Amino acid sequence: MMTIKIYDTTLRDGTQSEEINLSVQDKIRITIKLDELGVHYVEGGWPGSNSTDKEYFEEIKNYHLENVKVSAFGSTHNTRMKAENDPNLAALVECGAKVVTLFGKSWDFHATNALGVSLDRNIELISNSIGFMRKHVEELFFDAEHFFDGFKDNPQFALSCLKAAHDAGADVLVLCDTNGGTLPNEVAEACKEVLSNIPGCNIGIHTHNDCELAVANALTAVSNGAVQVQGTMNGYGERCGNANLCSIIPNLELKMGFDTIGKENLIKLKSVSNYVTEIANLRPFLRQPYVGAAAFAHKGGVHVSAVMKDSKSYEHIEPILVGNDRRVLLSDLSGKSNILYKAKQFGYDLDKNDPAVKTILADIKERESIGFEYSAAEASFELLFFKAMGWSKRYFEFINFFVVDAKRKEDNEPFSEATVIVKVHGEENHTAASGDGPVNALDKALRKALEGFYPSLKDVRLLDFKVRVLSGAIRDTDGTSSNVRLLIESSDGKSQWTTMGVSSNIIEASWQALVDSINYKLFKDDPQKWPNSM
């Protein structure tokens, strides 16, 4: 089985993405995680361009990596200098990386307009730079910037740039779709021409996603002889992003029969994807193929019924192959199959004719008609399900709550305070708390009232909340009396869950979601939570 080498450039190209900024330690953590995944190369950055990347190459020397080779990135030498005097090339040598990738112009337009040199001089820059670096590294790659644009406009010049790099000692000639505007058939044609005109060369592929074809173009290049694929985790990158390795790797492994990181490592793909997302301080893309939370989520009753009989009816692979999970969502589109599937997850092997199935299904559809959306708040559904199945334990009794949301003249700052009264084990508890907004204040006051009885609630934190006006429930002309759906995401440091409330009053909707969140945590911690389960 042929091996396609995976070259990850998240630490450089990925950081050119809007909203992403990685520290040295962030880069170290991601490198270690990619090493665990089995990636072949990680491009650490451009040591000649900034202090962060220079520090990264110093720091990474202290870590033992099992699979990854760390690559340094740089450009061909300055047009006014010789290669041996160029500070950028000197920085690449000094950083100590055993693998280096140099990029150079391969589009005549860029050579004459961006660099301001003749076409012959551009070829000299490539040849001299590759020749200089060859004696300093174990592996040397040439990134032919804007290759596909150059190949369209002046194929002879573009091929001459590649030949110069190959003759000077480049191990792989990487064809770059820098503008992201190339189509798969054009990639195929160019790859064939390169291999035909430069015998014995190895080619790689580096694509951008401006036409949403980065993955398709990368796979097309492999089908036409590329032995190295460059990309980023989750497709992070400048403008519309780079080729997404989270799609490329499983496509190569599972669909095309190539070896990349190995199927034993492929199962780590989702967790590594989420890890990189977390380090980048972004939210995961729900509908990302293979690794997204919705990649194997089923909502329609007909779909769920078929999946329960044979998963391949609506799934192109088994989710576990990439470390993902099958999910069945609850909504007004749900049928009995959805309820049966969720029941099995919770430990109940229900018959489709069980009265509880009809009761739960009717309850869901009734609630969704006024704005509840259980596909987005599975913790709230779990509570609903177990209540229908006989769980009716009350951890606390609500008496009342009172919320003040004001603005003080003296400091011109908003002020929120909540008062909560609940009864626990027959004892009434009256607490108050201030917070950053009414929802935060209400959350603090409720947990303050309960933590003395249930210490584990001290670990619970409100991570996020979202409010949506429900257009189908507007009761006046300007929409201010509309029902709102409020989703709250909570965590205890070990797991996360989402709960929901619906009301025309945003504070009441918040209260419903907060109560569900607390009940869900207590329910999960309760050793007698499943009185009727198997």
Side-chain angles (χ1 to χ4, degrees), residues 306-325:
V307 165
M308 289 180 69
K309 294 173 184 174
D310 192 328
S311 61
K312 68 183 179 183
S313 57
Y314 283 100
E315 291 177 351
H316 65 110
I317 66 163
E318 283 291 328
I320 191 60
L321 294 176
V322 290
N324 211 337
D325 300 301

Side-chain angles (χ1 to χ4, degrees), residues 514-533:
L514 289 169
V515 167
D516 265 11
S517 177
I518 295 299
N519 273 327
Y520 185 79
K521 168 63 177 172
L522 298 177
F523 173 66
K524 285 298 184 181
D525 290 345
D526 192 337
Q528 298 181 5
K529 60 190 173 189
W530 296 332
N532 296 329
S533 64

Side-chain angles (χ1 to χ4, degrees), residues 8 10 20 37 209 212 214-215 231-237 240-251 268-278 280 282-297 316-317 319 322-325 327:
D8 182 281
T10 305
I20 294 181
L37 184 62
N209 204 36
E212 203 162 8
V215 170
T232 62
M233 294 300 292
N234 303 315
Y236 298 146
C240 303
N242 285 50
N244 187 352
L245 291 178
C246 294
S247 295
I248 289 172
I249 292 172
N251 276 322
K268 306 172 188 174
L269 190 62
K270 180 180 179 179
S271 65
V272 174
S273 166
N274 288 345
Y275 182 86
V276 174
T277 301
E278 186 67 29
L282 298 173
R283 293 186 67 82
F285 175 41
L286 182 69
R287 285 170 289 281
Q288 184 172 184
Y290 285 105
V291 297
F296 302 96
H316 65 110
I317 66 163
V322 290
N324 211 337
D325 300 301
R327 296 171 58 232

